[in-house]
Amino acid sequence: MANAGSTTRLDYGLPACGQIDVSAWRDGAYDNDPLNLHYVRSKPSTDEPLDLPEACAKEITPATGRPLMFASHGTVQFGLSARSSAFRDNAPLAIWVYNPTDKEVGVMTCMDLDGLFLGGFDVLDQSGNRVLAKQEVKAGHPTMRELMACTRNFPINIQAHSCVHGDLDHPGYDFVKNLGSMYTLPAGHYQVVPRLKEGEQRLTITGLAVDVTP
């Protein structure tokens, strides 16, 4: 509730058995800091949209969607793409890998591709709140993330100055992942955004739109 400096009288009662904390109003998405205890120590996030490499732009089709590229990870750059999908389809995401170097680079199936899916991004609902992963809900702890165990880990070679990606029409295990395997996503509008580093605050939302239909 926003109040522009005046008194607001509600048309219904609000009984309370204890103290009610009221925080100052701040623009932007809810960031789990209602008392502004960490606001002054936060710094803006670095999730500004990155330019789409030409090699990846040439690969865009209706079956891939347009990717959101993330900051470089070592020698390669990762991205994700999606398209509107029905709830039963489990919200698939296509992974993109761009190699800007002059040499062939290997990306690991588990440490790199699975690692991006498990720890490289957050999912926000249409109000800008982070959606808890199923593992976090089960553990009852909002910072508990899914642990990764690599039992299948080998390199996939990415040629110099090329872009490799998944196909949402013909999903394969390594380059297409299902958000529904990690999150419970009812029909609605979501955004996939780069995961914040410690001490950062998300002042703006620049993400990949993921629409789930009934």
Side-chain angles (χ1 to χ4, degrees):
M1 176 180 294
N3 190 329
S6 60
T7 299
T8 299
R9 182 177 297 278
L10 303 177
D11 293 332
Y12 49 87
L14 284 177
C17 298
Q19 176 178 321
I20 298 177
D21 293 323
V22 180
S23 67
W25 176 264
R26 282 196 284 110
D27 287 334
Y30 177 64
D31 59 0
N32 296 306
D33 184 22
L35 298 182
N36 299 331
L37 298 178
H38 306 289
Y39 177 67
V40 295
R41 295 198 299 271
S42 298
K43 57 184 178 181
S45 66
T46 55
D47 61 347
E48 291 300 316
L50 300 177
D51 291 336
L52 183 63
E54 183 177 352
C56 295
K58 294 178 180 179
E59 296 288 324
I60 295 175
T61 69
T64 66
R66 181 181 179 86
L68 171 75
M69 303 304 293
F70 291 72
S72 296
H73 176 80
T75 55
V76 300
Q77 185 180 11
F78 290 107
L80 294 170
S81 66
R83 64 185 181 188
S84 179
S85 61
F87 175 77
R88 65 178 182 274
D89 294 331
N90 233 4
L93 290 181
I95 296 178
W96 296 62
V97 184
Y98 171 57
N99 176 9
T101 72
D102 296 325
K103 298 180 180 180
E104 182 179 82
V105 175
V107 296
M108 304 302 291
T109 55
C110 181
M111 294 173 60
D112 293 323
L113 299 180
D114 289 349
L116 170 70
F117 184 65
L118 292 177
F121 59 83
D122 286 322
V123 178
L124 308 181
D125 64 19
Q126 58 191 14
S127 298
N129 298 318
R130 185 173 75 83
V131 179
L132 297 183
K134 293 179 181 178
Q135 192 71 16
E136 294 178 276
V137 175
K138 182 178 179 180
H141 196 295
T143 60
M144 177 69 181
R145 298 298 176 102
E146 196 164 325
L147 299 178
M148 181 175 66
C150 286
T151 57
R152 175 184 175 275
N153 194 39
F154 59 87
I156 296 177
N157 293 326
I158 311 298
Q159 299 299 315
H161 303 289
S162 69
C163 191
V164 175
H165 58 83
D167 186 321
L168 297 173
D169 280 345
H170 303 91
Y173 177 80
D174 292 304
F175 286 92
V176 176
K177 308 289 186 181
N178 289 325
L179 274 181
S181 66
M182 281 185 61
Y183 300 89
T184 299
L185 300 177
H189 177 74
Y190 302 90
Q191 290 205 67
V192 172
V193 295
R195 182 161 294 176
L196 293 179
K197 298 177 181 178
E198 186 176 356
E200 288 186 337
Q201 180 197 8
R202 201 180 305 282
L203 299 181
T204 60
I205 298 177
T206 302
L208 172 70
V210 176
D211 292 308
V212 178
T213 61

